[in-house]
Structures are given as structure tokens and as C-alpha cells.
């Protein structure tokens, strides 16, 4: 029960972060970062509430996706020009899809270990 309730800290503050980021007119990548954190909280909430494998996927896959968004944010921070780079986006999407397919095919992947 406490693992479920404690996930509120991963859901509510990121939602506030989305609102503030939108109000401040910051880049969309920051909104995606906060939404990713919130998705991790919701997925973890669902997994700890049910302990089902499907909900475990909802817990672990958003961690992978959010990490990819954070990696992209870090990449964008050190660029000189103000443009969107498609290469890292495509690379991170391919990685995310690959990890998702492994999770769907193999019931006990060890990405988090």
C-alpha cells in the first residue's frame, strides 16, 4: 500500500512542472520531461496496486522512455544553434521501440538490473 501511495510524489510535482513550463514558455522538451516523470509515477502506482506483469510494463517502460527524453534534453543543451536534431530523436526512438519489443517478447528482461 505504501509503495502505491508514495508514488504521488512522482505524479503531482511533475504535473505542476508541466503547468509552470507551459506558463513560462519554455521548450516542448521540458514539458515532455515532466510528463515522462509523471508517467513513471502513474505506471509505478498501477504496478504496485496490482502486481500484474502488464502493470510492471507500465512501470518499467516509461522509465526507459523518460530516460530517452532526458538524454535528448542533455544533447540539446550543448548545441550552439537553435534547431531540432532529427538524428538523436530517431536513434532514441529506435532504442525505445527495440526495448519495448524485447519486453513484449521476453517476459523477464534485465534492463533495470
Amino acid at each position: 500500500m505504501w509503495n502505491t501511495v508514495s508514488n504521488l510524489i512522482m505524479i503531482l510535482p511533475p504535473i505542476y512542472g508541466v503547468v509552470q513550463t507551459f506558463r513560462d514558455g519554455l521548450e516542448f522538451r521540458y514539458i515532455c520531461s515532466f510528463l515522462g516523470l509523471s508517467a513513471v509515477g502513474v505506471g509505478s502506482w498501477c504496478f504496485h496496486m496490482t502486481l500484474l506483469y502488464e502493470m510492471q510494463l507500465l512501470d518499467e517502460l516509461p522509465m526507459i522512455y523518460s530516460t530517452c527524453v532526458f538524454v535528448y534534453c542533455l544533447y540539446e543543451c550543448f548545441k550552439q544553434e537553435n534547431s531540432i536534431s532529427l538524428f538523436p530523436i530517431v536513434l532514441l526512438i529506435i532504442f525505445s521501440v527495440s526495448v519495448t519489443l524485447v519486453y513484449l517478447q521476453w517476459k523477464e528482461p534485465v534492463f533495470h538490473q
Side-chain angles (χ1 to χ4, degrees), residues 50-69:
T50 64
L51 297 178
L52 297 173
Y53 177 73
E54 293 80 12
M55 297 303 124
Q56 181 179 357
L57 291 179
L58 197 60
D59 180 27
E60 293 183 9
L61 287 175
M63 292 178 199
I64 302 293
Y65 305 151
S66 296
T67 301
C68 288
V69 172

Side-chain angles (χ1 to χ4, degrees), residues 14-15 17-38 69-70 73:
I15 291 173
V18 167
V19 172
Q20 278 304 119
T21 301
F22 186 75
R23 282 186 187 160
D24 293 341
L26 298 176
E27 295 176 46
F28 183 67
R29 61 187 164 126
Y30 298 117
I31 292 174
C32 291
S33 297
F34 282 118
L35 288 175
L37 284 175
S38 188
V69 172
F70 297 141
C73 286

